[in-house]
Amino acid sequence: MLHYCVLGAGHGGLAIAGHLGLMGFPVRVWARRPESLAAVREVGGVFLEGEVEGFGPVRVADGLAEALEGADAVLVVLPASAHREIARRCAPFLRDGQRVLLLPGRTGGALEFTHVLAEGGCTADVIVGEAGTFPYASRRTGPCLARIHGIKRQVLAAALPASRTPALLEAVKSAFPQFMPARWVWKTSLDNIGAIFHPAVALLNAGRIENTGGDFRYYLDGITPSVAALLERLDAERVAVARALGVGAVTAREWLAEAYGVERSTLYEAVQVTAAYADVLAPAGLDHRYIHEDVPTGLVPIASLGRAFGVATPITEALIYVAGGVSGVDFWQAGRTLERLGMGGWGPEQILHYAMEGDVIDLV
Amino acid sequence: MLHYCVLGAGHGGLAIAGHLGLMGFPVRVWARRPESLAAVREVGGVFLEGEVEGFGPVRVADGLAEALEGADAVLVVLPASAHREIARRCAPFLRDGQRVLLLPGRTGGALEFTHVLAEGGCTADVIVGEAGTFPYASRRTGPCLARIHGIKRQVLAAALPASRTPALLEAVKSAFPQFMPARWVWKTSLDNIGAIFHPAVALLNAGRIENTGGDFRYYLDGITPSVAALLERLDAERVAVARALGVGAVTAREWLAEAYGVERSTLYEAVQVTAAYADVLAPAGLDHRYIHEDVPTGLVPIASLGRAFGVATPITEALIYVAGGVSGVDFWQAGRTLERLGMGGWGPEQILHYAMEGDVIDLV
């Protein structure tokens, strides 16, 4: 029986740890703030409600070393902006044969995690992979209670390099049959729809978010025809970058059709009739993951790839600077540029080959 | 007695034409839409209320040729985005000794007007100049009625080249004693505060403007701490570009202190206590001069100068692209780049010399 470790105890982490426990897998959970797991420690697990009901036994780890020790699969359920730091902290403790799966990786997650492990001196033979999205729709509804609203039927995942994807998914398929192999991480990384819907909408509604504390419907009020017009141009840049890498990324409109069955001729109309968006409120402020996660792990790597592959991404780059202008953060420094993913100065061929095969070809 | 021609019959044009008439100057007025002057034609002038009260006789011109014929001074009181088109249409009718004053020119107004006159084959010896701002606070309050809320005590103006500024201001000083000579058009052009307050605030409140029809206070609700933080960075870019040209531009905060006597340590605080801003509502939509005038005649020339003088303007450029993303307009094409001002490929020395002396130095 596979031993699981879950890093993170937010909306996703608590639900997935509880569900694994309920399914009978030995599971340890770790959180950056140990106090957030006090109740789970006390009752010895997580209560589940919603799509899955019951009690899942979960052990709370005392520290990252204990969390990782003996785990066959490490599920990273943290904001992608924390991947770098978590990889650095995991590097000393990972061992041969362990698998690390980022749920999700956003854009460049597996690449960053792998690069930082190597930088941190980790020489263990670890398989690192990423999913395109989190496999559940879930909420942490109490200190040791999670609600699973739905379990997605199909989620793409890939390992780095792609040749190891089968080994990764084979290991976790008893718990996660919905993971389907993507061709490589460029597919999971470039289907990043959050990079389209999150920073741009927050920035084009920045004044309203801050002035009202987010008291409006994020999608329905925030995505007006002009905002949607910009989102379509932003999305076209992402899809063009993907195409330059040989990846057929889904457009935001195709994604709404796939995920919610909504088909309209413009993104504006599609968003307005997406039932799942109807009640979603705006964030209470701009110091939010829509900026601090999605810009550095979404827009920045997409723009950086655009530069490497000669694809212009003016709207993507503009939003990175505007996000910097409102927050004071230099997202080009903080974000996943190819340089920070360990691929500085690489040419297109090297970038593509590395994701597929895991070695660096010499192009002298 | 100087003969005046006023081009434009909006909030500024109607007030200034009426005031000139009231002061006893012969004045003809022309508007792009002749029907907007039907009432003025019928009563033979403009009624004034507010700071100035009475009736100013004004003749309505039948066409641009008649408007310009025999005018000593032509006051252009139109959105700066119309300057190019108006210059093109004026080119055949301007004669030696006439003076054209753009009220205001925004950034690069006199340069653009002069360039387009030459392109249009105008060889007359015309003095073209620009003011940094419109000399009145006024509103068109009826078909032949204007309210002058206030007359600014001091407004900088400059001719192109600077050597002709005294001749320009001497001519109009009996009507406009408040015009003070700026060193050259780079001062009037780079003190463009509208370029700071208009497009950025509209874009960072784009969703709210379109979703509510502008039902919020533009400055007080729209300029939150994060929006103001971006404005300060945007303003710093403008001031840095100005400094590279040897121009000591006022910052937005200094301008609030000068114009409204408001002094605070941050732009956010200063805006929040500026009484003149308290009741200003947002525009009803994004198809508005805050985008369609201030981006092409404010942000674009500032960014273009930044490139020519090696000053990075990332926030300025980002906003140009975001404005394009919501509107579908390529503002780099439509706007006042140095290329479109007739200075494509010029070096800093040539750009500076031309504004001062009016001739192009050869730097071979």
Side-chain angles (χ1 to χ4, degrees), chain A residues 203-208 210-211 221 224 226 230 233 315 318 321 325 328, chain B residues 203-208 210-211 221 224 226 230 233 286 315 318 321 325 328:
Chain A
L203 292 169
L204 291 172
N205 288 277
R208 191 178 200 177
E210 210 160 34
N211 180 241
D221 297 330
T224 60
S226 294
L230 180 135
R233 293 184 173 97
I315 305 282
Y321 284 112
Chain B
L203 292 170
L204 292 171
N205 288 278
R208 192 178 199 178
E210 211 160 34
N211 181 240
D221 297 330
T224 60
S226 295
L230 179 135
R233 293 184 173 97
L286 289 168
I315 305 282
Y321 284 113

PDB file of all heavy atoms in Angstrom, chain A residues 203-208 210-211 221 224 226 230 233 315 318 321 325 328, chain B residues 203-208 210-211 221 224 226 230 233 286 315 318 321 325 328:
ATOM      1  N   LEU A 203      -6.532  43.132 -11.743  1.00  0.00           N
ATOM      2  CA  LEU A 203      -5.906  44.430 -12.012  1.00  0.00           C
ATOM      3  C   LEU A 203      -6.869  45.406 -12.672  1.00  0.00           C
ATOM      4  O   LEU A 203      -6.870  46.592 -12.343  1.00  0.00           O
ATOM      5  CB  LEU A 203      -4.658  44.243 -12.878  1.00  0.00           C
ATOM      6  CG  LEU A 203      -3.503  43.527 -12.172  1.00  0.00           C
ATOM      7  CD1 LEU A 203      -2.417  43.143 -13.165  1.00  0.00           C
ATOM      8  CD2 LEU A 203      -2.937  44.378 -11.043  1.00  0.00           C
ATOM      9  N   LEU A 204      -7.693  44.938 -13.565  1.00  0.00           N
ATOM     10  CA  LEU A 204      -8.646  45.827 -14.240  1.00  0.00           C
ATOM     11  C   LEU A 204      -9.832  46.156 -13.323  1.00  0.00           C
ATOM     12  O   LEU A 204     -10.706  46.929 -13.687  1.00  0.00           O
ATOM     13  CB  LEU A 204      -9.121  45.208 -15.550  1.00  0.00           C
ATOM     14  CG  LEU A 204      -8.042  45.126 -16.635  1.00  0.00           C
ATOM     15  CD1 LEU A 204      -8.509  44.325 -17.837  1.00  0.00           C
ATOM     16  CD2 LEU A 204      -7.616  46.522 -17.088  1.00  0.00           C
ATOM     17  N   ASN A 205      -9.836  45.559 -12.146  1.00  0.00           N
ATOM     18  CA  ASN A 205     -10.814  45.907 -11.115  1.00  0.00           C
ATOM     19  C   ASN A 205     -10.103  46.279  -9.818  1.00  0.00           C
ATOM     20  O   ASN A 205     -10.695  46.202  -8.736  1.00  0.00           O
ATOM     21  CB  ASN A 205     -11.760  44.727 -10.869  1.00  0.00           C
ATOM     22  CG  ASN A 205     -12.729  44.511 -12.021  1.00  0.00           C
ATOM     23  OD1 ASN A 205     -13.763  45.183 -12.097  1.00  0.00           O
ATOM     24  ND2 ASN A 205     -12.399  43.597 -12.921  1.00  0.00           N
ATOM     25  N   ALA A 206      -8.853  46.696  -9.912  1.00  0.00           N
ATOM     26  CA  ALA A 206      -8.037  46.932  -8.717  1.00  0.00           C
ATOM     27  C   ALA A 206      -8.664  47.977  -7.792  1.00  0.00           C
ATOM     28  O   ALA A 206      -8.757  47.783  -6.579  1.00  0.00           O
ATOM     29  CB  ALA A 206      -6.625  47.365  -9.126  1.00  0.00           C
ATOM     30  N   GLY A 207      -9.089  49.084  -8.377  1.00  0.00           N
ATOM     31  CA  GLY A 207      -9.686  50.142  -7.564  1.00  0.00           C
ATOM     32  C   GLY A 207     -10.923  49.650  -6.843  1.00  0.00           C
ATOM     33  O   GLY A 207     -11.113  49.896  -5.649  1.00  0.00           O
ATOM     34  N   ARG A 208     -11.761  48.919  -7.563  1.00  0.00           N
ATOM     35  CA  ARG A 208     -12.996  48.443  -6.958  1.00  0.00           C
ATOM     36  C   ARG A 208     -12.727  47.423  -5.849  1.00  0.00           C
ATOM     37  O   ARG A 208     -13.392  47.423  -4.813  1.00  0.00           O
ATOM     38  CB  ARG A 208     -13.880  47.814  -8.044  1.00  0.00           C
ATOM     39  CG  ARG A 208     -15.295  47.522  -7.559  1.00  0.00           C
ATOM     40  CD  ARG A 208     -16.152  46.959  -8.674  1.00  0.00           C
ATOM     41  NE  ARG A 208     -17.562  47.122  -8.376  1.00  0.00           N
ATOM     42  CZ  ARG A 208     -18.549  46.774  -9.211  1.00  0.00           C
ATOM     43  NH1 ARG A 208     -18.252  46.241 -10.380  1.00  0.00           N
ATOM     44  NH2 ARG A 208     -19.815  46.962  -8.872  1.00  0.00           N
ATOM     45  N   GLU A 210     -10.145  47.205  -3.930  1.00  0.00           N
ATOM     46  CA  GLU A 210      -9.595  47.850  -2.733  1.00  0.00           C
ATOM     47  C   GLU A 210     -10.602  48.826  -2.115  1.00  0.00           C
ATOM     48  O   GLU A 210     -10.647  48.996  -0.905  1.00  0.00           O
ATOM     49  CB  GLU A 210      -8.302  48.579  -3.100  1.00  0.00           C
ATOM     50  CG  GLU A 210      -7.320  48.643  -1.961  1.00  0.00           C
ATOM     51  CD  GLU A 210      -5.913  48.917  -2.455  1.00  0.00           C
ATOM     52  OE1 GLU A 210      -5.750  49.655  -3.455  1.00  0.00           O
ATOM     53  OE2 GLU A 210      -4.976  48.385  -1.859  1.00  0.00           O
ATOM     54  N   ASN A 211     -11.397  49.464  -2.961  1.00  0.00           N
ATOM     55  CA  ASN A 211     -12.352  50.453  -2.447  1.00  0.00           C
ATOM     56  C   ASN A 211     -13.558  49.801  -1.772  1.00  0.00           C
ATOM     57  O   ASN A 211     -14.114  50.353  -0.822  1.00  0.00           O
ATOM     58  CB  ASN A 211     -12.814  51.356  -3.597  1.00  0.00           C
ATOM     59  CG  ASN A 211     -13.802  52.421  -3.162  1.00  0.00           C
ATOM     60  OD1 ASN A 211     -14.935  52.448  -3.634  1.00  0.00           O
ATOM     61  ND2 ASN A 211     -13.399  53.284  -2.230  1.00  0.00           N
ATOM     62  N   ASP A 221     -19.483  40.619 -12.525  1.00  0.00           N
ATOM     63  CA  ASP A 221     -19.366  42.078 -12.547  1.00  0.00           C
ATOM     64  C   ASP A 221     -17.984  42.510 -13.042  1.00  0.00           C
ATOM     65  O   ASP A 221     -17.843  43.568 -13.651  1.00  0.00           O
ATOM     66  CB  ASP A 221     -19.583  42.658 -11.143  1.00  0.00           C
ATOM     67  CG  ASP A 221     -20.991  42.380 -10.623  1.00  0.00           C
ATOM     68  OD1 ASP A 221     -21.917  42.279 -11.441  1.00  0.00           O
ATOM     69  OD2 ASP A 221     -21.147  42.272  -9.387  1.00  0.00           O
ATOM     70  N   THR A 224     -16.333  42.542 -17.749  1.00  0.00           N
ATOM     71  CA  THR A 224     -17.221  43.291 -18.639  1.00  0.00           C
ATOM     72  C   THR A 224     -16.747  43.058 -20.084  1.00  0.00           C
ATOM     73  O   THR A 224     -15.714  42.423 -20.300  1.00  0.00           O
ATOM     74  CB  THR A 224     -17.129  44.782 -18.298  1.00  0.00           C
ATOM     75  OG1 THR A 224     -15.771  45.206 -18.482  1.00  0.00           O
ATOM     76  CG2 THR A 224     -17.540  45.051 -16.846  1.00  0.00           C
ATOM     77  N   SER A 226     -15.199  44.960 -22.200  1.00  0.00           N
ATOM     78  CA  SER A 226     -13.828  45.424 -22.469  1.00  0.00           C
ATOM     79  C   SER A 226     -12.789  44.586 -21.723  1.00  0.00           C
ATOM     80  O   SER A 226     -11.703  44.332 -22.249  1.00  0.00           O
ATOM     81  CB  SER A 226     -13.665  46.892 -22.052  1.00  0.00           C
ATOM     82  OG  SER A 226     -14.459  47.719 -22.868  1.00  0.00           O
ATOM     83  N   LEU A 230      -9.758  42.163 -23.463  1.00  0.00           N
ATOM     84  CA  LEU A 230      -8.345  42.034 -23.099  1.00  0.00           C
ATOM     85  C   LEU A 230      -8.012  40.579 -22.763  1.00  0.00           C
ATOM     86  O   LEU A 230      -6.950  40.067 -23.156  1.00  0.00           O
ATOM     87  CB  LEU A 230      -7.990  42.951 -21.929  1.00  0.00           C
ATOM     88  CG  LEU A 230      -6.525  42.863 -21.497  1.00  0.00           C
ATOM     89  CD1 LEU A 230      -5.933  44.251 -21.271  1.00  0.00           C
ATOM     90  CD2 LEU A 230      -6.353  42.014 -20.250  1.00  0.00           C
ATOM     91  N   ARG A 233      -7.307  38.604 -25.822  1.00  0.00           N
ATOM     92  CA  ARG A 233      -5.986  38.901 -26.408  1.00  0.00           C
ATOM     93  C   ARG A 233      -4.873  38.270 -25.579  1.00  0.00           C
ATOM     94  O   ARG A 233      -3.883  37.773 -26.099  1.00  0.00           O
ATOM     95  CB  ARG A 233      -5.799  40.415 -26.522  1.00  0.00           C
ATOM     96  CG  ARG A 233      -6.751  41.040 -27.523  1.00  0.00           C
ATOM     97  CD  ARG A 233      -6.522  42.532 -27.735  1.00  0.00           C
ATOM     98  NE  ARG A 233      -7.382  42.989 -28.833  1.00  0.00           N
ATOM     99  CZ  ARG A 233      -8.571  43.566 -28.680  1.00  0.00           C
ATOM    100  NH1 ARG A 233      -9.034  43.839 -27.471  1.00  0.00           N
ATOM    101  NH2 ARG A 233      -9.295  43.895 -29.718  1.00  0.00           N
ATOM    102  N   ILE A 315       0.620  41.941 -24.085  1.00  0.00           N
ATOM    103  CA  ILE A 315      -0.386  42.098 -23.033  1.00  0.00           C
ATOM    104  C   ILE A 315       0.078  41.362 -21.775  1.00  0.00           C
ATOM    105  O   ILE A 315      -0.043  41.861 -20.655  1.00  0.00           O
ATOM    106  CB  ILE A 315      -1.755  41.561 -23.484  1.00  0.00           C
ATOM    107  CG1 ILE A 315      -2.205  42.212 -24.795  1.00  0.00           C
ATOM    108  CG2 ILE A 315      -2.797  41.745 -22.390  1.00  0.00           C
ATOM    109  CD1 ILE A 315      -2.751  43.601 -24.666  1.00  0.00           C
ATOM    110  N   ALA A 318       2.722  43.440 -20.209  1.00  0.00           N
ATOM    111  CA  ALA A 318       2.145  44.659 -19.649  1.00  0.00           C
ATOM    112  C   ALA A 318       1.517  44.373 -18.284  1.00  0.00           C
ATOM    113  O   ALA A 318       1.703  45.140 -17.332  1.00  0.00           O
ATOM    114  CB  ALA A 318       1.110  45.239 -20.606  1.00  0.00           C
ATOM    115  N   TYR A 321       4.035  44.143 -15.509  1.00  0.00           N
ATOM    116  CA  TYR A 321       4.494  45.450 -15.030  1.00  0.00           C
ATOM    117  C   TYR A 321       3.415  46.176 -14.229  1.00  0.00           C
ATOM    118  O   TYR A 321       3.718  46.850 -13.240  1.00  0.00           O
ATOM    119  CB  TYR A 321       4.950  46.311 -16.215  1.00  0.00           C
ATOM    120  CG  TYR A 321       6.293  45.908 -16.757  1.00  0.00           C
ATOM    121  CD1 TYR A 321       6.411  45.349 -18.023  1.00  0.00           C
ATOM    122  CD2 TYR A 321       7.453  46.066 -15.995  1.00  0.00           C
ATOM    123  CE1 TYR A 321       7.649  44.971 -18.530  1.00  0.00           C
ATOM    124  CE2 TYR A 321       8.692  45.697 -16.489  1.00  0.00           C
ATOM    125  CZ  TYR A 321       8.785  45.151 -17.763  1.00  0.00           C
ATOM    126  OH  TYR A 321      10.006  44.780 -18.249  1.00  0.00           O
ATOM    127  N   GLY A 325       3.503  47.515 -10.566  1.00  0.00           N
ATOM    128  CA  GLY A 325       3.208  48.910 -10.259  1.00  0.00           C
ATOM    129  C   GLY A 325       2.274  49.071  -9.072  1.00  0.00           C
ATOM    130  O   GLY A 325       2.429  50.004  -8.278  1.00  0.00           O
ATOM    131  N   GLY A 328       4.468  46.887  -5.931  1.00  0.00           N
ATOM    132  CA  GLY A 328       5.856  47.154  -5.585  1.00  0.00           C
ATOM    133  C   GLY A 328       6.768  45.940  -5.705  1.00  0.00           C
ATOM    134  O   GLY A 328       7.943  46.018  -5.375  1.00  0.00           O
TER     135      GLY A 328
ATOM    136  N   LEU B 203      -8.130  52.520 -16.360  1.00  0.00           N
ATOM    137  CA  LEU B 203      -7.852  51.108 -16.640  1.00  0.00           C
ATOM    138  C   LEU B 203      -7.896  50.258 -15.381  1.00  0.00           C
ATOM    139  O   LEU B 203      -8.382  49.133 -15.400  1.00  0.00           O
ATOM    140  CB  LEU B 203      -6.491  50.971 -17.337  1.00  0.00           C
ATOM    141  CG  LEU B 203      -6.448  51.543 -18.757  1.00  0.00           C
ATOM    142  CD1 LEU B 203      -5.026  51.598 -19.282  1.00  0.00           C
ATOM    143  CD2 LEU B 203      -7.342  50.719 -19.693  1.00  0.00           C
ATOM    144  N   LEU B 204      -7.401  50.771 -14.280  1.00  0.00           N
ATOM    145  CA  LEU B 204      -7.414  49.993 -13.042  1.00  0.00           C
ATOM    146  C   LEU B 204      -8.806  49.983 -12.403  1.00  0.00           C
ATOM    147  O   LEU B 204      -9.011  49.354 -11.371  1.00  0.00           O
ATOM    148  CB  LEU B 204      -6.370  50.534 -12.062  1.00  0.00           C
ATOM    149  CG  LEU B 204      -4.918  50.309 -12.508  1.00  0.00           C
ATOM    150  CD1 LEU B 204      -3.939  51.046 -11.610  1.00  0.00           C
ATOM    151  CD2 LEU B 204      -4.579  48.813 -12.511  1.00  0.00           C
ATOM    152  N   ASN B 205      -9.738  50.697 -13.037  1.00  0.00           N
ATOM    153  CA  ASN B 205     -11.145  50.641 -12.637  1.00  0.00           C
ATOM    154  C   ASN B 205     -12.015  50.298 -13.841  1.00  0.00           C
ATOM    155  O   ASN B 205     -13.214  50.588 -13.849  1.00  0.00           O
ATOM    156  CB  ASN B 205     -11.573  51.992 -12.050  1.00  0.00           C
ATOM    157  CG  ASN B 205     -10.975  52.248 -10.667  1.00  0.00           C
ATOM    158  OD1 ASN B 205     -11.496  51.768  -9.673  1.00  0.00           O
ATOM    159  ND2 ASN B 205      -9.867  52.972 -10.615  1.00  0.00           N
ATOM    160  N   ALA B 206     -11.424  49.649 -14.823  1.00  0.00           N
ATOM    161  CA  ALA B 206     -12.135  49.399 -16.090  1.00  0.00           C
ATOM    162  C   ALA B 206     -13.410  48.592 -15.863  1.00  0.00           C
ATOM    163  O   ALA B 206     -14.475  48.934 -16.382  1.00  0.00           O
ATOM    164  CB  ALA B 206     -11.216  48.670 -17.071  1.00  0.00           C
ATOM    165  N   GLY B 207     -13.298  47.522 -15.089  1.00  0.00           N
ATOM    166  CA  GLY B 207     -14.474  46.689 -14.861  1.00  0.00           C
ATOM    167  C   GLY B 207     -15.575  47.471 -14.169  1.00  0.00           C
ATOM    168  O   GLY B 207     -16.754  47.381 -14.531  1.00  0.00           O
ATOM    169  N   ARG B 208     -15.202  48.269 -13.184  1.00  0.00           N
ATOM    170  CA  ARG B 208     -16.215  49.017 -12.437  1.00  0.00           C
ATOM    171  C   ARG B 208     -16.880  50.086 -13.310  1.00  0.00           C
ATOM    172  O   ARG B 208     -18.092  50.303 -13.234  1.00  0.00           O
ATOM    173  CB  ARG B 208     -15.554  49.685 -11.227  1.00  0.00           C
ATOM    174  CG  ARG B 208     -16.563  50.243 -10.248  1.00  0.00           C
ATOM    175  CD  ARG B 208     -15.873  50.847  -9.030  1.00  0.00           C
ATOM    176  NE  ARG B 208     -16.808  50.966  -7.919  1.00  0.00           N
ATOM    177  CZ  ARG B 208     -16.466  51.429  -6.710  1.00  0.00           C
ATOM    178  NH1 ARG B 208     -15.216  51.787  -6.471  1.00  0.00           N
ATOM    179  NH2 ARG B 208     -17.373  51.508  -5.764  1.00  0.00           N
ATOM    180  N   GLU B 210     -17.336  50.017 -16.513  1.00  0.00           N
ATOM    181  CA  GLU B 210     -18.243  49.417 -17.480  1.00  0.00           C
ATOM    182  C   GLU B 210     -19.408  48.708 -16.796  1.00  0.00           C
ATOM    183  O   GLU B 210     -20.523  48.685 -17.318  1.00  0.00           O
ATOM    184  CB  GLU B 210     -17.460  48.436 -18.368  1.00  0.00           C
ATOM    185  CG  GLU B 210     -18.014  48.336 -19.756  1.00  0.00           C
ATOM    186  CD  GLU B 210     -16.998  47.769 -20.723  1.00  0.00           C
ATOM    187  OE1 GLU B 210     -16.185  46.910 -20.305  1.00  0.00           O
ATOM    188  OE2 GLU B 210     -16.989  48.167 -21.887  1.00  0.00           O
ATOM    189  N   ASN B 211     -19.147  48.152 -15.626  1.00  0.00           N
ATOM    190  CA  ASN B 211     -20.212  47.420 -14.933  1.00  0.00           C
ATOM    191  C   ASN B 211     -21.231  48.346 -14.281  1.00  0.00           C
ATOM    192  O   ASN B 211     -22.406  48.013 -14.170  1.00  0.00           O
ATOM    193  CB  ASN B 211     -19.578  46.488 -13.887  1.00  0.00           C
ATOM    194  CG  ASN B 211     -20.594  45.670 -13.126  1.00  0.00           C
ATOM    195  OD1 ASN B 211     -20.679  45.764 -11.905  1.00  0.00           O
ATOM    196  ND2 ASN B 211     -21.369  44.865 -13.822  1.00  0.00           N
ATOM    197  N   ASP B 221     -12.889  57.216  -4.973  1.00  0.00           N
ATOM    198  CA  ASP B 221     -13.080  55.766  -4.902  1.00  0.00           C
ATOM    199  C   ASP B 221     -12.109  55.038  -5.824  1.00  0.00           C
ATOM    200  O   ASP B 221     -11.695  53.915  -5.537  1.00  0.00           O
ATOM    201  CB  ASP B 221     -14.510  55.394  -5.311  1.00  0.00           C
ATOM    202  CG  ASP B 221     -15.553  55.981  -4.374  1.00  0.00           C
ATOM    203  OD1 ASP B 221     -15.243  56.168  -3.179  1.00  0.00           O
ATOM    204  OD2 ASP B 221     -16.674  56.253  -4.843  1.00  0.00           O
ATOM    205  N   THR B 224      -7.262  54.199  -5.018  1.00  0.00           N
ATOM    206  CA  THR B 224      -7.015  53.522  -3.737  1.00  0.00           C
ATOM    207  C   THR B 224      -5.503  53.513  -3.495  1.00  0.00           C
ATOM    208  O   THR B 224      -4.725  53.930  -4.354  1.00  0.00           O
ATOM    209  CB  THR B 224      -7.549  52.090  -3.822  1.00  0.00           C
ATOM    210  OG1 THR B 224      -6.843  51.430  -4.885  1.00  0.00           O
ATOM    211  CG2 THR B 224      -9.055  52.078  -4.130  1.00  0.00           C
ATOM    212  N   SER B 226      -3.279  51.159  -3.616  1.00  0.00           N
ATOM    213  CA  SER B 226      -2.506  50.426  -4.628  1.00  0.00           C
ATOM    214  C   SER B 226      -2.535  51.131  -5.980  1.00  0.00           C
ATOM    215  O   SER B 226      -1.536  51.135  -6.706  1.00  0.00           O
ATOM    216  CB  SER B 226      -3.055  49.002  -4.799  1.00  0.00           C
ATOM    217  OG  SER B 226      -2.873  48.261  -3.625  1.00  0.00           O
ATOM    218  N   LEU B 230       0.794  52.773  -8.062  1.00  0.00           N
ATOM    219  CA  LEU B 230       1.147  52.685  -9.483  1.00  0.00           C
ATOM    220  C   LEU B 230       1.264  54.072 -10.095  1.00  0.00           C
ATOM    221  O   LEU B 230       2.180  54.339 -10.879  1.00  0.00           O
ATOM    222  CB  LEU B 230       0.121  51.841 -10.242  1.00  0.00           C
ATOM    223  CG  LEU B 230       0.404  51.709 -11.748  1.00  0.00           C
ATOM    224  CD1 LEU B 230       0.238  50.278 -12.217  1.00  0.00           C
ATOM    225  CD2 LEU B 230      -0.458  52.642 -12.577  1.00  0.00           C
ATOM    226  N   ARG B 233       4.611  55.559  -9.459  1.00  0.00           N
ATOM    227  CA  ARG B 233       5.664  54.965 -10.291  1.00  0.00           C
ATOM    228  C   ARG B 233       5.563  55.474 -11.730  1.00  0.00           C
ATOM    229  O   ARG B 233       6.570  55.729 -12.389  1.00  0.00           O
ATOM    230  CB  ARG B 233       5.571  53.437 -10.244  1.00  0.00           C
ATOM    231  CG  ARG B 233       5.906  52.890  -8.864  1.00  0.00           C
ATOM    232  CD  ARG B 233       5.916  51.363  -8.794  1.00  0.00           C
ATOM    233  NE  ARG B 233       6.409  50.967  -7.472  1.00  0.00           N
ATOM    234  CZ  ARG B 233       5.622  50.642  -6.451  1.00  0.00           C
ATOM    235  NH1 ARG B 233       4.316  50.581  -6.593  1.00  0.00           N
ATOM    236  NH2 ARG B 233       6.158  50.341  -5.268  1.00  0.00           N
ATOM    237  N   LEU B 286     -15.720  53.166 -21.191  1.00  0.00           N
ATOM    238  CA  LEU B 286     -14.289  53.225 -21.487  1.00  0.00           C
ATOM    239  C   LEU B 286     -14.004  53.878 -22.837  1.00  0.00           C
ATOM    240  O   LEU B 286     -12.852  54.166 -23.156  1.00  0.00           O
ATOM    241  CB  LEU B 286     -13.683  51.829 -21.443  1.00  0.00           C
ATOM    242  CG  LEU B 286     -13.582  51.248 -20.030  1.00  0.00           C
ATOM    243  CD1 LEU B 286     -13.244  49.765 -20.102  1.00  0.00           C
ATOM    244  CD2 LEU B 286     -12.530  51.995 -19.215  1.00  0.00           C
ATOM    245  N   ILE B 315       6.105  51.054 -16.842  1.00  0.00           N
ATOM    246  CA  ILE B 315       4.694  51.181 -16.450  1.00  0.00           C
ATOM    247  C   ILE B 315       3.942  51.951 -17.536  1.00  0.00           C
ATOM    248  O   ILE B 315       2.824  51.600 -17.908  1.00  0.00           O
ATOM    249  CB  ILE B 315       4.556  51.903 -15.098  1.00  0.00           C
ATOM    250  CG1 ILE B 315       5.389  51.221 -13.998  1.00  0.00           C
ATOM    251  CG2 ILE B 315       3.086  52.015 -14.690  1.00  0.00           C
ATOM    252  CD1 ILE B 315       4.791  49.982 -13.440  1.00  0.00           C
ATOM    253  N   ALA B 318       3.422  49.643 -20.357  1.00  0.00           N
ATOM    254  CA  ALA B 318       2.447  48.607 -20.000  1.00  0.00           C
ATOM    255  C   ALA B 318       1.021  49.136 -20.136  1.00  0.00           C
ATOM    256  O   ALA B 318       0.137  48.461 -20.666  1.00  0.00           O
ATOM    257  CB  ALA B 318       2.702  48.122 -18.572  1.00  0.00           C
ATOM    258  N   TYR B 321      -0.221  49.215 -23.668  1.00  0.00           N
ATOM    259  CA  TYR B 321      -0.658  47.900 -24.155  1.00  0.00           C
ATOM    260  C   TYR B 321      -1.978  47.465 -23.517  1.00  0.00           C
ATOM    261  O   TYR B 321      -2.826  46.856 -24.171  1.00  0.00           O
ATOM    262  CB  TYR B 321       0.422  46.844 -23.892  1.00  0.00           C
ATOM    263  CG  TYR B 321       1.579  46.944 -24.851  1.00  0.00           C
ATOM    264  CD1 TYR B 321       2.848  47.324 -24.417  1.00  0.00           C
ATOM    265  CD2 TYR B 321       1.411  46.656 -26.204  1.00  0.00           C
ATOM    266  CE1 TYR B 321       3.915  47.427 -25.296  1.00  0.00           C
ATOM    267  CE2 TYR B 321       2.480  46.754 -27.086  1.00  0.00           C
ATOM    268  CZ  TYR B 321       3.723  47.136 -26.631  1.00  0.00           C
ATOM    269  OH  TYR B 321       4.761  47.235 -27.513  1.00  0.00           O
ATOM    270  N   GLY B 325      -5.382  46.545 -25.191  1.00  0.00           N
ATOM    271  CA  GLY B 325      -6.039  45.264 -24.941  1.00  0.00           C
ATOM    272  C   GLY B 325      -7.526  45.398 -24.672  1.00  0.00           C
ATOM    273  O   GLY B 325      -8.316  44.552 -25.081  1.00  0.00           O
ATOM    274  N   GLY B 328      -8.882  47.484 -28.320  1.00  0.00           N
ATOM    275  CA  GLY B 328      -8.604  47.003 -29.666  1.00  0.00           C
ATOM    276  C   GLY B 328      -7.855  48.003 -30.534  1.00  0.00           C
ATOM    277  O   GLY B 328      -7.628  47.752 -31.713  1.00  0.00           O
TER     278      GLY B 328
END
